[in-house]
Amino acid sequence: NAGVTQTPKFRVLKTGQSMTLLCAQDMNHEYMYWYRQDPGMGLRLIHYSVGEGTTAKGEVPDGYNVSRLKKQNFLLGLESAAPSQTSVYFCASKDLARAGELFFGEGSRLTVL
Amino acid sequence: KQEVTQIPAALSVPEGENLVLNCSFTDSAIYNLQWFRQDPGKGLTSLLLIQSSQREQTSGRLNASLDKSSGRSTLYIAASQPGDSATYLCAVVSGAGSYQLTFGKGTKLSVIP
């Protein structure tokens, strides 16, 4: 049981380049989330999904796009990377039960030069 | 809007001491509260999940309590060890949908040998 898997774990981009972070979960969870974590800022929600084919904006969605074409996958895209997007990105998932426990991936460290 | 606060932001204790970490939230209408541990450069690991109907949960040397009416939770760590050094975060699930999570910024714990 792999839980929540993020790829890639590390990436360096130049300003203006694009990339996609992949999150995969094998727990049949309905809810999936993308967060970024920056020093002193805590975890900030970028986008989330409450089910296959649905996405919604979180606290800091600008500059990011997401897709949930399959229930087990949640993709985070950066169309034109900026240095301000240098961060550690975390994916998480939980089932739709109110009592559901939240599970995190190990993070993806992105540096934009 | 739910707000979660963790005080203090950092805590340093000698090895062997019992300690309490605090988490407070502004809206008592929560579904559950979860405590996480984060080691430097790593993802978030779930420690304990307390449902809104529960008063406490225990796992090994960890005990988490929940007082919904006062909007507080505590994480008690018994006989602290240097390996307990990490950042501890709490998160609550609340709001109209059970997918809405709010995180505190964490307490950074250092256990001195």
Side-chain angles (χ1 to χ4, degrees):
Chain A
N1 189 345
V4 180
T5 304
Q6 293 182 228
T7 53
K9 290 184 171 45
F10 300 94
R11 184 73 186 270
V12 178
L13 289 177
K14 294 181 179 179
T15 297
Q17 288 185 319
S18 63
M19 74 158 296
T20 300
L21 297 176
L22 170 64
C23 177
Q25 52 93 5
D26 61 3
M27 297 170 282
N28 202 35
H29 285 171
E30 291 292 335
Y31 302 152
M32 296 187 74
Y33 308 82
W34 275 108
Y35 291 92
R36 60 177 291 174
Q37 187 177 44
D38 304 287
M41 303 293 290
L43 281 163
R44 292 184 292 172
L45 181 64
I46 305 171
H47 286 279
Y48 64 97
S49 168
V50 298
E52 181 178 319
T54 72
T55 63
K57 295 180 180 180
E59 181 185 356
V60 288
D62 294 342
Y64 305 95
N65 57 76
V66 288
S67 65
R68 183 100 181 266
L69 299 179
K70 294 182 178 180
K71 185 177 182 179
Q72 63 268 33
N73 295 338
F74 195 27
L75 280 64
L76 178 70
L78 286 71
E79 290 186 347
S80 180
S84 61
Q85 294 177 305
T86 294
S87 186
V88 181
Y89 292 86
F90 288 101
C91 177
S93 73
K94 70 183 288 289
D95 69 32
L96 53 77
R98 292 175 176 177
E101 184 176 0
L102 184 67
F103 293 88
F104 276 86
E106 293 187 356
S108 298
R109 184 174 295 273
L110 174 66
T111 301
V112 183
L113 302 176
Chain B
K1 178 185 175 185
Q2 178 75 269
E3 294 182 359
V4 177
T5 304
Q6 292 185 250
I7 296 174
L11 179 65
S12 183
V13 300
E15 182 178 1
E17 190 164 296
N18 301 326
L19 62 99
V20 173
L21 305 180
N22 298 297
C23 172
S24 62
F25 44 95
T26 54
D27 183 355
S28 62
I30 66 169
Y31 298 122
N32 63 44
L33 183 146
Q34 197 167 349
W35 281 94
F36 296 89
R37 168 186 174 137
Q38 186 176 29
D39 293 291
K42 302 292 185 181
L44 280 74
T45 301
S46 178
L47 296 174
L48 290 164
L49 173 67
I50 309 178
Q51 305 303 335
S52 60
S53 58
Q54 296 176 318
R55 296 283 294 181
E56 63 180 299
Q57 280 284 350
T58 298
S59 176
R61 294 183 294 110
L62 304 180
N63 177 277
S65 68
L66 175 64
D67 184 345
K68 277 182 55 178
S69 60
S70 65
R72 293 181 182 178
S73 176
T74 61
L75 179 65
Y76 174 83
I77 302 177
S80 60
Q81 303 170 358
D84 294 330
S85 298
T87 297
Y88 292 81
L89 296 94
C90 67
V92 298
V93 175
S94 59
S98 62
Y99 55 85
Q100 295 180 7
L101 293 143
T102 308
F103 282 85
K105 292 188 175 181
T107 295
K108 185 176 182 179
L109 173 65
S110 298
V111 181
I112 311 301

